[in-house]
Amino acid sequence: MAAPEEPELSQAQTEKLLQFQDLTGLESMDQCRRTLEQHNWNIEAAVQDRLNEQEGVPSVFNPPPSRPLQVNTADHRVYSYIVSRPQPRGLLGWSYYLIMLPFRFTYYTLLDIFRFALRFVRPDPRGRVTDPVGDVVSFIHSFEERYGRAHPVFYQGTYSQALNDAKRELRYLLVYLHGDDHQDTNEFCCSTLCTEEVVTFLNTQMLFWACSTSKPEGFRVSQALRENTYPFLAMIMLKDRKMTVVGRLEGLIQPEDFINQLTFIMDANQTYLMSERLEREERNQTQVLRQQQDEAYLASLQADQEKDRKKREEQEQLRQEEEKVLQTALAEERRRRTLEEEKERKSECLPPEPPADDPESVKIVFKLPNDTRVERRFLFGQSLTVIYDFLFSLKETPEKFQIVTNFPRRVLPCLPTEEQPNPPTLKEAGLSRSEVLFVQDLTDD
């Protein structure tokens, strides 16, 4: 079965798609479209969620296993400041209050009964959080549409992300739950929250997160903090290694009183925050020291390994040199033995020396390189090779040599060559009955 074709995009959706791609740098147009569709084409929420993912914060559409919000609300030392509504004054005020009291009681009673009964018919849709970033961004837009853009900097992220940032940066986090239907909400936003002194104070002293309780994300936070009335604000900070509510402000509060109460809460808990900062700095220093020690240990280990490697290389080089010397000595010994055996063999193969009175005999005196003289008789008809073999068999004769006549100086061809495979005889070589020949050492050549 063929896959259903995706519906065509409107011009506005196409523009948002291209704008989202430019802002996030994503190359896949399909991924851009899926992300925007998950956020109901809310480009601000989609961009914020994408930026959170790039910072290592899990996406709201790929959340980690759900767990309760890690905020300590059971601390009995929480500072609580509740502003009650002013009591009626004068006869006219009390008369109006008494006249309206039955109507108010009836209205709120019926409203509570209706809400209670509605839970059995249709579960509260706020109980299911699907787009927490979108809830926050949507509240910020509606807030700006109603009260303008002169307001404290809202944290554009989920409540959990705000907690994590406040914990990581060791800053106070002020949480504001906006009750849309409460009678004091409008006055608080206009006369307190958006005043210049409050905006300056909040922007410089803490993180500020806000959401409407009509949104699933705001409702979830409301269930965790359990406010009594509106406007509601909670001061949260890292205390005893846990994110803890250290102050609660409820009811309509004036700007000066609002700043004073927040300052009092901050001053009362400053020692905890300083302690956490010192402890974190100590942990960081300990971690840096441990890292430096590890790096020093690794450097020392690498230096030792390098020394061992060089030592092994030197030992191996020494062993190879000793092995080379030994092999050279063995080769020299083998060569010497071979030479001695060859000399003995040549000596055994020499023809006998002719007698002195033999008319064909030739008396030759050999002068060796070591200035010794050797005398022997040969026959005219014998080859010059016999002379060479005789000299070769002598221990005093060098390994390589040639035989040279004195005058005229010439080298006797005693060994066969390609041009002369059979060396000439003594007679053919022009030797007389008595000769003096010189043995020239060719070993160095």
Side-chain angles (χ1 to χ4, degrees):
M1 180 181 295
E5 295 183 357
E6 295 184 356
E8 294 184 358
L9 300 179
S10 63
Q11 182 177 358
Q13 290 175 335
T14 303
E15 292 177 355
K16 288 185 177 181
L17 185 63
L18 296 176
Q19 185 179 3
F20 179 77
Q21 187 181 37
D22 292 338
L23 293 173
T24 59
L26 289 175
E27 296 182 358
S28 175
M29 192 66 71
D30 292 338
Q31 184 177 357
C32 294
R33 177 171 180 171
R34 287 196 300 271
T35 304
L36 285 171
E37 288 176 347
Q38 289 173 341
H39 292 83
N40 294 323
W41 292 93
N42 187 328
I43 188 170
E44 290 85 0
V47 170
Q48 183 66 46
D49 195 25
R50 176 62 184 174
L51 294 177
N52 289 335
E53 288 183 7
Q54 293 176 346
E55 294 175 358
V57 180
S59 169
V60 295
F61 291 96
N62 298 283
S66 59
R67 56 182 180 181
L69 295 173
Q70 301 297 314
V71 177
N72 183 14
T73 58
D75 194 341
H76 299 290
R77 296 169 294 176
V78 174
Y79 176 79
S80 182
Y81 183 78
I82 302 176
V83 181
S84 302
R85 291 190 60 79
Q87 297 294 329
R89 296 179 181 180
L91 180 61
L92 183 61
W94 279 104
S95 299
Y96 178 77
Y97 176 77
L98 293 175
I99 293 174
M100 295 300 298
L101 182 61
F103 295 99
R104 290 176 180 169
F105 177 79
T106 304
Y107 171 76
Y108 285 111
T109 302
L110 293 176
L111 182 61
D112 291 340
I113 294 174
F114 175 76
R115 289 176 176 174
F116 180 78
L118 190 61
R119 293 179 182 177
F120 295 96
V121 179
R122 182 175 64 89
D124 194 334
R126 298 177 299 174
R128 185 170 178 267
V129 182
T130 58
D131 185 9
V133 177
D135 294 341
V136 175
V137 174
S138 175
F139 163 73
I140 295 174
H141 287 171
S142 62
F143 186 93
E144 291 179 345
E145 289 177 358
R146 185 167 185 178
Y147 303 106
R149 303 180 65 88
H151 56 75
V153 177
F154 291 111
Y155 183 93
Q156 296 196 21
T158 66
Y159 176 61
S160 299
Q161 293 169 357
L163 288 175
N164 290 333
D165 284 352
K167 181 178 181 180
R168 184 179 65 255
E169 300 174 11
L170 288 178
R171 298 182 63 184
Y172 293 101
L173 173 64
L174 183 63
V175 175
Y176 168 58
L177 294 180
H178 185 84
D180 295 317
D181 299 330
H182 197 271
Q183 54 189 343
D184 293 333
T185 296
N186 187 58
E187 184 178 353
F188 172 77
C189 293
C190 293
S191 62
T192 300
L193 189 59
C194 293
T195 59
E196 183 178 356
E197 60 269 25
V198 171
V199 170
T200 303
F201 179 80
L202 294 183
N203 290 344
T204 57
Q205 298 294 327
M206 62 197 68
L207 295 177
F208 184 59
W209 184 90
C211 192
S212 172
T213 54
S214 62
K215 305 291 185 181
E217 177 70 353
F219 180 73
R220 180 173 72 115
V221 178
S222 171
Q223 296 297 305
L225 298 180
R226 298 186 181 281
E227 74 281 7
N228 297 310
T229 186
Y230 299 98
F232 173 81
L233 300 105
M235 180 78 87
I236 303 175
M237 61 171 287
L238 184 63
K239 182 178 180 181
D240 299 329
R241 298 188 179 182
K242 294 183 293 184
M243 294 303 289
T244 305
V245 177
V246 295
R248 298 165 63 96
L249 303 180
E250 299 182 77
L252 182 60
I253 184 171
Q254 298 304 313
E256 183 179 357
D257 195 15
F258 180 68
I259 294 176
N260 291 337
Q261 294 300 325
L262 291 179
T263 303
F264 176 79
I265 296 173
M266 293 169 61
D267 292 342
N269 294 276
Q270 190 66 24
T271 55
Y272 296 103
L273 200 59
M274 291 180 61
S275 176
E276 291 290 346
R277 287 172 179 164
L278 291 175
E279 184 176 353
R280 178 173 294 184
E281 183 177 356
E282 182 179 352
R283 287 198 303 268
N284 292 337
Q285 291 178 352
T286 302
Q287 184 177 0
V288 170
L289 179 60
R290 184 180 297 111
Q291 183 178 358
Q292 292 175 347
Q293 291 174 345
D294 293 342
E295 291 176 353
Y297 170 75
L298 289 176
S300 176
L301 181 61
Q302 291 176 355
D304 292 341
Q305 292 175 347
E306 183 66 16
K307 289 180 181 179
D308 293 341
R309 185 187 65 80
K310 290 184 178 180
K311 185 177 180 180
R312 289 194 302 269
E313 288 181 353
E314 292 175 357
Q315 291 176 347
E316 179 65 19
Q317 185 177 1
L318 181 60
R319 186 192 66 79
Q320 291 179 359
E321 291 178 354
E322 292 176 350
E323 181 71 18
K324 184 178 180 180
V325 171
L326 179 60
Q327 294 296 331
T328 303
L330 292 176
E332 180 64 24
E333 179 65 20
R334 288 193 297 268
R335 188 192 63 79
R336 188 185 61 79
R337 289 182 181 179
T338 302
L339 183 60
E340 289 179 355
E341 292 175 356
E342 183 68 14
K343 286 179 178 290
E344 291 178 359
R345 188 179 64 81
K346 293 290 186 181
S347 178
E348 293 174 354
C349 296
L350 286 174
E353 185 179 5
D357 56 353
D358 189 335
E360 294 294 324
S361 65
V362 179
K363 178 185 176 182
I364 301 177
V365 177
F366 299 98
K367 294 186 68 174
L368 302 179
N370 58 0
D371 293 335
T372 59
R373 291 172 175 266
V374 178
E375 183 180 331
R376 192 182 189 277
R377 291 183 299 275
F378 300 89
L379 295 175
F380 275 113
Q382 290 176 339
S383 172
L384 292 177
T385 304
V386 177
I387 300 176
Y388 188 89
D389 291 345
F390 166 73
L391 292 172
F392 182 79
S393 64
L394 299 177
K395 293 184 179 180
E396 299 85 355
T397 309
E399 183 179 352
K400 295 180 180 180
F401 60 91
Q402 64 182 5
I403 304 171
V404 182
T405 61
N406 188 19
F407 187 81
R409 178 178 173 80
R410 59 192 179 92
V411 178
L412 297 179
C414 300
L415 297 176
T417 60
E418 293 183 0
E419 295 80 5
Q420 195 174 20
N422 297 315
T425 61
L426 276 65
K427 187 175 182 179
E428 291 173 350
L431 298 181
S432 60
R433 289 183 60 83
S434 179
E435 289 283 349
V436 177
L437 300 178
F438 295 87
V439 179
Q440 186 178 356
D441 189 359
L442 297 178
T443 303
D444 294 338
D445 296 340

